[in-house]
Structure formats: C-alpha cells, structure tokens
C-alpha cells in the first residue's frame, strides 16, 4: 500500500506449485522490479533489510522516503505498508503466517512503525510481540533470503565487475 513507485493497493501472487517452483519478474528499467524485492525484504526484516540504514534515525527517514509520492495527487499519502502471507512447515505441519509492516510519517519528519505477525488469522501468541521480528528472522534468516530474493541487475553488475577484473588480470599477464 503506497510503497515506493506503487501508489494505492497492489497485490502480487508469488505462490508456487509442483510445476512452477521459480518465479522470475521481468520488466524495463524503472518498472519497479527492485522495489518489489525491497518491499519483501523490508516487510520481513525491517531495519535489518538494508545495510544502509544502521541507525534508527536513518531507518525512519528511509521509511518516509518509501511512502509513495504522486505529484498529481491533491493529498499525498502519509502512510505505507507491506504485507506478506507465507507458509512455513515444521514438525507440527504447515502454518500460514502473515507479516505486516506499516508506518506513518510523523510531524517530526520521522516515521512511526508497527510490525504485526499472525498465524492462521490470529496474532502469534506463543512469542511476545516485542520478539516477533526475531522470530521471523529465525524462520527465514536474512542470509537465506539473499539466495531466494535477488535482483538480476545486481547479479549482472557483479558479473561485469568480475569480467573487468579478469580483463585487467589478463592484460597485465600479456604485458609481462
């Protein structure tokens, strides 16, 4: 809801099944592909989603910047949210969780954030709400998420850097 380039409410089904186990999202530059990945990581990990928001103050400014801005709108949105429903299997079976991260711009220029976590339609009761973020990070460690939610443009950039390093190394060997 009102996240980055996406104004209003948007929904994307990332469900998989036996025949469809990998989801690729393509589009032109500036179409919002990276924004989708950013939204997923932000919802799941909050301030820990990015290494560029180490302090609470920087993180709040980041949240405010991620509220959709539409210059043609007479009243700009003051809040944004990201919600993810996901299944998690453990020894007790498959459980459906819903993680919701929502924030609102405050008068000081920062953001008031709320993180909600439910399972089967009810708030997670066996974990204190102050530890919901830690609980999600135990379910889906942030390092593991890097393997599943990655930006092809970043991979392409890394590949170009690697090939340039190789070209420089080969060039030095030829001159020796």
């Amino acid at each position: 809801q009102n996240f980055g380039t996406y104004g209003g409410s948007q929904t994307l089904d990332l469900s998989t099944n036996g025949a469809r186990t990998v989801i690729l999202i393509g589009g032109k530059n500036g179409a919002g592909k990276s924004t989708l990945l950013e939204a997923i990581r932000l919802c799941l990990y909050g301030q820990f989603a990015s290494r560029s928001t180490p302090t609470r103050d920087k993180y709040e400014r980041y949240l405010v910047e991620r509220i959709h801005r539409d210059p043609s709108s007479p009243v700009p949105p003051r809040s944004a949210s990201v919600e993810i429903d996901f299944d998690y299997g453990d020894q007790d079976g498959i459980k459906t969780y819903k993680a919701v991260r929502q924030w609102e711009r405050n008068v000081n220029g920062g953001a008031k954030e709320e993180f909600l976590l439910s399972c089967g339609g009810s708030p997670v009761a066996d974990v204190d709400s102050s530890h919901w973020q830690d609980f999600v990070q135990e379910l889906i460690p942030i390092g593991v998420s890097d393997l599943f939610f990655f930006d092809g443009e970043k991979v392409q950039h890394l590949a170009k850097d690697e090939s340039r390093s190789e070209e420089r190394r080969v060039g030095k060997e030829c001159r020796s």
Side-chain angles (χ1 to χ4, degrees), residues 22 57 70 78 96 111 114 127 131 146 152 162 169 175-176:
V22 175
D57 187 48
D70 181 358
R78 294 187 42 79
T96 300
E114 186 175 24
V127 176
H131 295 286
D146 290 337
E162 186 63 33
R169 188 185 65 74
R175 286 191 294 266
S176 300

Side-chain angles (χ1 to χ4, degrees), residues 38 41-43 45-51 53 59 62 142:
E38 180 184 3
R41 290 180 57 87
L42 177 62
C43 184
Y45 307 112
Q47 186 173 350
F48 305 105
S50 172
R51 289 168 184 80
T53 56
Y59 178 62
Y62 164 79
I142 197 163

Side-chain angles (χ1 to χ4, degrees), residues 142-154:
I142 197 163
V144 171
S145 76
D146 290 337
L147 299 172
F148 294 98
F149 305 117
F150 62 89
D151 188 331
E153 289 175 0
K154 289 181 183 175

Side-chain angles (χ1 to χ4, degrees), residues 6 12-14 23-27 32-34 36-37 40 150 152:
Y6 298 99
L12 179 62
D13 183 359
L14 299 175
I23 297 172
L24 300 175
I25 299 172
K33 302 176 303 293
S34 297
L36 290 173
L37 293 174
I40 291 169
F150 62 89

Side-chain angles (χ1 to χ4, degrees), residues 60-156:
E60 285 186 24
R61 285 193 308 256
Y62 164 79
L63 289 176
V64 169
E65 290 170 5
R66 301 316 295 149
I67 297 174
H68 178 72
R69 291 181 290 267
D70 181 358
S72 65
S73 175
V75 180
R78 294 187 42 79
S79 63
S81 65
V82 182
E83 176 181 310
I84 298 175
D85 295 346
F86 64 94
D87 293 335
Y88 186 84
D90 61 15
Q91 68 273 11
D92 298 326
I94 296 176
K95 298 176 183 173
T96 300
Y97 288 92
K98 178 183 287 195
V100 179
R101 188 168 305 273
Q102 53 195 27
W103 61 97
E104 183 175 1
R105 179 184 359 226
N106 62 31
V107 294
N108 301 332
K112 180 182 180 212
E113 177 190 40
E114 186 175 24
F115 181 65
L116 307 168
L117 184 65
S118 60
C119 181
S122 299
V124 172
D126 52 342
V127 176
D128 186 83
S129 63
S130 64
H131 295 286
W132 283 349
Q133 182 65 68
D134 299 327
F135 180 71
V136 168
Q137 286 180 282
E138 285 181 28
L139 292 178
I140 311 168
I142 197 163
V144 171
S145 76
D146 290 337
L147 299 172
F148 294 98
F149 305 117
F150 62 89
D151 188 331
E153 289 175 0
K154 289 181 183 175
V155 172
Q156 184 179 15

